[in-house]
Amino acid sequence: MRKDILSLLERDAKLTPGEIAVLLGLEETAVREEIEALEREQIICGYGAFVNRDRAGSDDLTALIEVRVTPSRGQGFNHIAERIGRFDEVRAVYLMSGGYDLAVLIEGKSIKDISYFVSDKLSALDSILSTATHFVMKRYKDHGVMFDDADGGDERMIVSP
């Protein structure tokens, strides 16, 4: 039941316990109690909307920063990841495999804001060895939600026989 409830809420956080109960063939009370338990156990950590920022007229920039760090003795990457995660600009921090250790997703009002964050806040931390910053230029899909580009038209190349 838990996995089914979580799956439905991940797709649509606006579903009510009554709607979930109908979809899963369960009692509404049981679904409500299970959701409350999932929240108490911090399995469900919050609810939100996925916004198409282009259509909303937002000029905010998103950047993905790859970070190479020296892990703390006895704490590994957890300590530095938690420190980075405390910055207001940071939307997500992930431990990664590959050439970099952490991926940090941030938002800022301008390239200057993001540059300031990287140079004066992130790079100033003792454990940071190097960074590589990538700016998000366009979102096609985010959190499983496709953003269609109604104004973009059909971008496929015309092929004639």
Side-chain angles (χ1 to χ4, degrees):
M1 173 170 66
R2 279 186 159 206
K3 287 183 180 183
D4 294 330
I5 291 172
L6 290 171
S7 178
L8 288 170
L9 287 174
E10 278 182 318
R11 277 189 261 139
D12 186 356
K14 288 175 53 176
L15 288 173
T16 66
E19 292 169 330
I20 294 171
V22 169
L23 290 168
L24 298 178
L26 301 169
E27 292 294 323
E28 182 176 347
T29 305
V31 171
R32 187 179 316 281
E33 289 172 358
E34 191 63 32
I35 290 172
E36 289 170 1
L38 289 163
E39 291 169 346
R40 269 192 316 277
E41 295 169 32
Q42 294 185 335
I43 294 170
I44 295 177
C45 300
Y47 299 88
F50 303 116
V51 177
N52 185 331
R53 293 177 184 267
D54 291 337
R55 288 195 180 169
S58 173
D59 290 332
D60 288 355
L61 294 175
T62 302
L64 176 74
I65 304 167
E66 296 174 311
V67 183
R68 194 171 288 130
V69 303
T70 302
S72 301
R73 186 179 303 268
Q75 296 181 337
F77 296 102
N78 295 343
H79 178 70
I80 189 66
E82 288 171 9
R83 282 190 69 192
I84 293 169
R86 287 190 202 118
F87 289 112
D88 290 337
E89 300 90 340
V90 174
R91 297 293 167 250
V93 180
Y94 305 104
L95 179 62
M96 305 297 289
S97 62
Y100 288 86
D101 303 306
L102 300 173
V104 179
L105 192 67
I106 71 165
E107 290 181 356
K109 296 286 181 200
S110 66
I111 291 176
K112 186 176 180 180
D113 285 348
I114 291 173
S115 174
Y116 170 78
F117 172 80
V118 173
S119 64
D120 290 7
K121 292 182 177 181
L122 186 61
S123 295
L125 298 175
D126 292 336
S127 301
I128 305 298
L129 298 175
S130 65
T131 64
T133 303
H134 309 275
F135 289 93
V136 174
M137 297 169 59
K138 181 176 175 132
R139 293 175 200 259
Y140 295 100
K141 185 175 183 176
D142 197 354
H143 290 83
V145 177
M146 288 294 297
F147 297 137
D148 17 324
D149 186 9
D151 299 332
D154 191 350
E155 297 179 12
R156 294 177 293 177
M157 187 170 24
I158 297 173
V159 178
S160 60

